[in-house]
Amino acid sequence: VFLNILCASLSLPCTPAHPKSPLSPTSPSIPVPYPSFLTVWGFISTGTTRAEGSPVPLIGESITWVIFLISYWGEQIGQKIRKISDCFHCQVYTYPESEASRTEAITRLHGQIQELSVTLEETEKYLAEVLDKVAQVLPTWRVQVQKMKAIYLVLNQCSFDVTKKCLIAEVWCPVRDLTQVQEALRQGSVSGSCFVQRVPTSESPPTLIRTNKFTSGFQSIVDAYGVASYQEVNPAPYAIITFPFIFAIMFGDVGHGLLMFLFALWMVLYEDSPRLRQGTNEIWLMFFEGRYLILLMGAFSIYTGFIYNECFSKATAIFPSAWSVATMANHSSWSAAYLATHPSLTLDPNVTGVFQGPYPFGIDPIWSLAANHLNFLNSFKMKMSVVLGIVHMGFGVVLGVFNHVHFQQRHRLVLEFLPEMIFLLALFGYLVFLIFYKWIKFSAAESMVAPSILIHFIDMFLFTSNAENLPLYPGQVPVQMVLVVLALASVPVLLLGTPLYQWCRQGAPRTVRPGPLATGEQEPLLEGQEAGNSVNAITEDVERGGHSPDAKHVDFAEIFMHQAIHTIEYCLGCVSNTASYLRLWALSLAHAQLSEVLWTMVMRNGFVGLSYVGGVVLVPVFAAFAVLTVAILLVMEGLSAFLHALRLHWVEFQNKFYVGAGYKLCPFAFAPDTWE
């Protein structure tokens, strides 16, 4: 019988059992290994053994090591202790009897600890190096995994053929990219064969419009109204010029346009910056995507600002004024008493030398000092809005010719385009002619007897003449009557021409051309697919993207109702749309007046004092002026002008030729922005 002492190291948490939760009194407490070890130890110990344990926390470790010092009598109980220790994965160390053996054991353990420490340190360094290398290639791995998932997602949408030996995918592919698709399939078909076959279809193909970072903003404006139908005229290329110009007519100011231009130029110069491209603010991303649109709007606003001669509501004398005050003073012999009693003086252009000719570019700066400058700008901007509006609408009607010719609907050139142009030009084109004719014919000396264009235009519809309103040219009344009769005669042609043509064409006999395949050979490629959905179609449908004339019975009543709606909408729209373009005049004047009020009520107060105190006061006044300019004139007025320009393009311009009943082609592609 002898005394054996074991030192057991238990690498288990020494925390006590969790108490039952007061919110769930029936939940059992969770046992931990340390109390379990003591419980098992209590079962086998019958007074012949003794165990004492103390927790020893190690620095940098998430667990606590418990050291047990166990003394027992007999070899049998020692074997049980060793088995229990093995079950709990304990490390057992025999306590030596001699001092030298104990010292040697401790030295050996310290050496093992040192070796383990060195090994752990080297392992951590190696793992850190591995993680650094992985961190460098992790974005590439993530992109590869995402691409693989996207590819397999598309492959899962493919179908097997009837024999279950071929994978078939029916996709829309641009004709220009068909060669690239074939080359990609050839390179990818290592173990099998792949081929591409053009499949006729009766479905309307999707619309693909190739854009770049410059044109994408303008295309988004058009797509917001409606995606272009297949092979329809796209208004976006024309909107690149017309949209910023119409916006600038309402936002014309050199200073405000320059601020907008510089802001957009900053976004364009730093467009590759990840900080700008990967923002989380939706409003900022909207501005960033339309940076080129904002750039052109600012540039055109500077141009129209020079025409209006306004820079923060102040006129700039780039060229000398064409009006001579000295000549008027010498001719009128204004005395000091006359000047004292007359705060406003009139410059008569009929006096020789007072008006020396038109200003080289834009409006003469002397008009900013005149008391009647608002009346002058009202007349100028109102007529300018009408002229530009009618030209814009006429251009939209002309663009419809390309649709008629491309879709081989040449009858619409005579039955729709020609009546529409006659109606528009006979009435409103004649109004533009009267405006320019009056500007050219009547000089300043004859301005007092110049007739009113508005009264002439009203008399034109009433087939009358006003004796008090002199005619602009001889034979004006008969010409106006003829124009009104032509406009009225074009309405029934526009209303009945296309329906009658379709009705006559439906009743006429026509030969049916044989299809590309025999009836017995028209089998579906895919299992469960209806015949005629993907392969049984006429070649004409593939090229046009629509149904053939013989595809279904033409309903005359439906065509007539559609044409009646189009006729009423066009004829009434010519009147309402022309009046709608007067918003160019209204918003331009509103922007100019707001700018002038802001300068008068805010900025001008900072120039009152000429002392040092006035210079100090000028700083907060300028800060308030700058904040109000950006908040009101740039943001609010800019948004208002943008929305009005958007409406003029959607309703007044695109409504003349654009259907927008298509759908976008969403090809399988890895967008560069997604993988950056």
Side-chain angles (χ1 to χ4, degrees):
V1 179
F2 58 92
L3 175 64
N4 286 334
I5 299 177
L6 294 179
C7 181
S9 174
L10 180 63
S11 59
L12 298 172
C14 64
T15 54
H18 297 284
K20 295 184 178 180
S21 173
L23 298 179
S24 57
T26 59
S27 62
S29 60
I30 302 175
V32 295
Y34 177 41
S36 301
F37 181 79
L38 293 180
T39 302
V40 176
W41 179 260
F43 285 149
I44 70 169
S45 66
T46 58
T48 59
T49 61
R50 182 181 178 184
E52 293 182 0
S54 60
V56 180
L58 299 180
I59 299 176
E61 298 289 340
S62 60
I63 61 175
T64 302
W65 292 73
V66 182
I67 307 300
F68 289 88
L69 185 60
I70 304 173
S71 61
Y72 63 92
W73 295 90
E75 185 63 27
Q76 185 177 4
I77 190 68
Q79 293 179 359
K80 294 181 179 180
I81 292 173
R82 288 184 176 87
K83 290 181 179 180
I84 294 174
S85 301
D86 292 340
C87 291
F88 282 89
H89 304 286
C90 298
Q91 297 179 5
V92 181
Y93 303 94
T94 303
Y95 187 79
E97 295 182 2
S98 63
E99 184 67 25
S101 300
R102 289 194 294 268
T103 303
E104 182 182 357
I106 292 175
T107 303
R108 185 175 63 255
L109 291 176
H110 279 293
Q112 293 178 2
I113 292 174
Q114 186 67 24
E115 292 177 359
L116 291 175
S117 299
V118 174
T119 304
L120 289 175
E121 185 178 355
E122 294 297 329
T123 304
E124 290 179 355
K125 291 182 180 179
Y126 175 74
L127 291 178
E129 294 177 358
V130 172
L131 291 177
D132 291 339
K133 295 180 180 179
V134 170
Q136 296 177 0
V137 297
L138 185 60
T140 305
W141 290 355
R142 182 183 294 109
V143 170
Q144 291 177 355
V145 171
Q146 291 177 350
K147 287 184 176 181
M148 291 174 63
K149 292 178 63 177
I151 292 173
Y152 280 111
L153 178 62
V154 174
L155 290 177
N156 290 334
Q157 298 177 0
C158 300
S159 303
F160 285 101
D161 67 335
V162 180
T163 61
K164 301 291 185 179
K165 295 181 180 180
C166 180
L167 193 64
I168 299 177
E170 288 192 353
V171 298
W172 292 107
C173 177
V175 178
R176 186 190 305 179
D177 301 334
L178 198 58
T179 306
Q180 299 179 7
V181 173
Q182 293 175 346
E183 180 65 21
L185 290 175
R186 187 186 63 81
Q187 295 178 0
S189 58
V190 179
S191 59
S193 61
C194 299
F195 62 91
V196 177
Q197 180 181 359
R198 299 186 66 173
V199 180
T201 177
S202 59
E203 298 180 2
S204 178
T207 301
L208 172 63
I209 299 176
R210 303 179 188 271
T211 60
N212 51 36
K213 60 183 180 181
F214 177 76
T215 60
S216 60
F218 299 93
Q219 188 62 50
S220 299
I221 292 177
V222 176
D223 292 342
Y225 175 83
V227 180
S229 302
Y230 184 62
Q231 296 184 346
E232 186 182 15
V233 173
N234 183 23
Y238 312 103
I240 295 176
I241 300 300
T242 59
F243 189 90
F245 182 65
I246 289 180
F247 170 86
I249 293 174
M250 299 177 282
F251 197 76
D253 190 283
V254 176
H256 302 156
L258 182 61
L259 293 178
M260 182 178 294
F261 178 82
L262 293 177
F263 172 67
L265 183 63
W266 170 73
M267 290 191 292
V268 169
L269 294 178
Y270 294 94
E271 62 183 6
D272 296 330
S273 174
R275 185 178 179 183
L276 298 181
R277 300 178 67 89
Q278 299 176 1
T280 57
N281 193 329
E282 185 177 356
I283 297 179
W284 164 253
L285 293 178
M286 189 181 304
F287 278 106
F288 185 76
E289 291 297 329
R291 57 192 180 278
Y292 288 97
L293 175 62
I294 300 175
L295 184 72
L296 289 185
M297 290 193 302
F300 277 82
S301 298
I302 296 174
Y303 170 74
T304 54
F306 278 115
I307 293 180
Y308 298 157
N309 203 348
E310 292 182 359
C311 181
F312 296 108
S313 77
K314 299 287 105 178
T316 56
I318 300 177
F319 303 100
S321 176
W323 294 81
S324 176
V325 181
T327 304
M328 190 67 191
N330 296 331
H331 181 270
S332 302
S333 300
W334 291 335
S335 61
Y338 181 84
L339 295 176
T341 56
H342 294 78
S344 299
L345 303 175
T346 302
L347 299 180
D348 189 0
N350 295 320
V351 177
T352 305
V354 175
F355 182 67
Q356 302 172 0
Y359 196 66
F361 185 80
I363 296 178
D364 199 303
I366 200 173
W367 282 104
S368 63
L369 306 176
N372 61 338
H373 76 284
L374 191 59
N375 295 332
F376 171 75
L377 291 179
N378 271 335
S379 177
F380 166 72
K381 292 184 177 180
M382 180 179 64
K383 294 181 175 62
M384 177 192 65
S385 301
V386 172
V387 171
L388 293 178
I390 295 174
V391 171
H392 197 212
M393 290 189 298
F395 179 63
V397 176
V398 172
L399 288 180
V401 175
F402 297 97
N403 286 332
H404 303 331
V405 174
H406 177 76
F407 293 111
Q408 298 181 4
Q409 298 173 342
R410 301 184 183 276
H411 64 279
R412 301 184 66 179
L413 294 175
V414 180
L415 301 178
E416 291 188 16
F417 169 72
L418 189 59
E420 289 175 353
M421 289 301 296
I422 291 176
F423 185 85
L424 180 64
L425 296 180
L427 299 181
F428 303 99
Y430 179 71
L431 177 62
V432 175
F433 166 76
L434 293 180
I435 293 175
F436 281 99
Y437 186 83
K438 182 179 178 181
W439 279 345
I440 295 173
K441 181 178 180 180
F442 294 92
S443 61
E446 303 171 342
S447 60
M448 300 302 296
V449 296
S452 173
I453 296 179
L454 181 60
I455 296 178
H456 275 303
F457 199 62
I458 295 175
D459 293 339
M460 176 179 175
F461 289 95
L462 299 177
F463 294 96
T464 59
S465 61
N466 193 337
E468 299 178 358
N469 194 40
L470 300 179
L472 289 171
Y473 57 89
Q476 179 180 357
V477 176
V479 171
Q480 293 180 165
M481 291 183 178
V482 172
L483 292 177
V484 174
V485 171
L486 284 176
L488 295 178
S490 64
V491 175
V493 177
L494 181 62
L495 175 63
L496 302 175
T498 300
L500 291 177
Y501 174 82
Q502 294 289 350
W503 181 73
C504 294
R505 187 180 180 185
Q506 180 182 359
R510 52 183 176 272
T511 59
V512 180
R513 293 176 296 178
L517 297 174
T519 306
E521 299 177 355
Q522 295 182 352
E523 298 294 339
L525 290 178
L526 300 182
E527 194 175 350
Q529 183 182 19
E530 296 180 1
N533 188 28
S534 64
V535 297
N536 304 332
I538 300 178
T539 308
E540 184 179 356
D541 299 331
V542 181
E543 301 299 330
R544 298 183 182 180
H547 296 285
S548 63
D550 303 333
K552 62 180 180 179
H553 181 75
V554 179
D555 189 357
F556 177 78
E558 182 179 354
I559 295 178
F560 178 78
M561 289 300 298
H562 180 272
Q563 192 65 24
I565 295 174
H566 171 72
T567 303
I568 296 173
E569 181 183 10
Y570 179 82
C571 296
L572 297 182
C574 286
V575 181
S576 62
N577 295 159
T578 303
S580 181
Y581 276 95
L582 293 177
R583 69 183 71 235
L584 301 176
W585 159 48
L587 266 75
S588 176
L589 288 178
H591 184 81
Q593 291 303 307
L594 281 175
S595 181
E596 184 176 356
V597 168
L598 191 61
W599 178 275
T600 303
M601 300 185 64
V602 180
M603 194 61 191
R604 193 170 67 177
N605 296 330
F607 298 105
V608 175
L610 301 178
S611 60
Y612 292 103
V613 178
V616 174
V617 173
L618 183 60
V619 175
V621 170
F622 176 76
F625 174 77
V627 171
L628 292 176
T629 298
V630 173
I632 298 178
L633 296 178
L634 287 181
V635 178
M636 294 180 59
E637 280 289 312
L639 180 61
S640 176
F642 178 86
L643 294 177
H644 283 284
L646 196 64
R647 180 248 156 78
L648 291 176
H649 276 76
W650 282 357
V651 180
E652 278 72 22
F653 175 62
Q654 294 180 186
N655 195 31
K656 300 295 184 296
F657 67 97
Y658 188 67
V659 178
Y663 61 100
K664 276 187 177 182
L665 173 66
C666 299
F668 176 77
F670 301 115
D673 297 341
T674 308
W675 315 113
E676 289 181 355

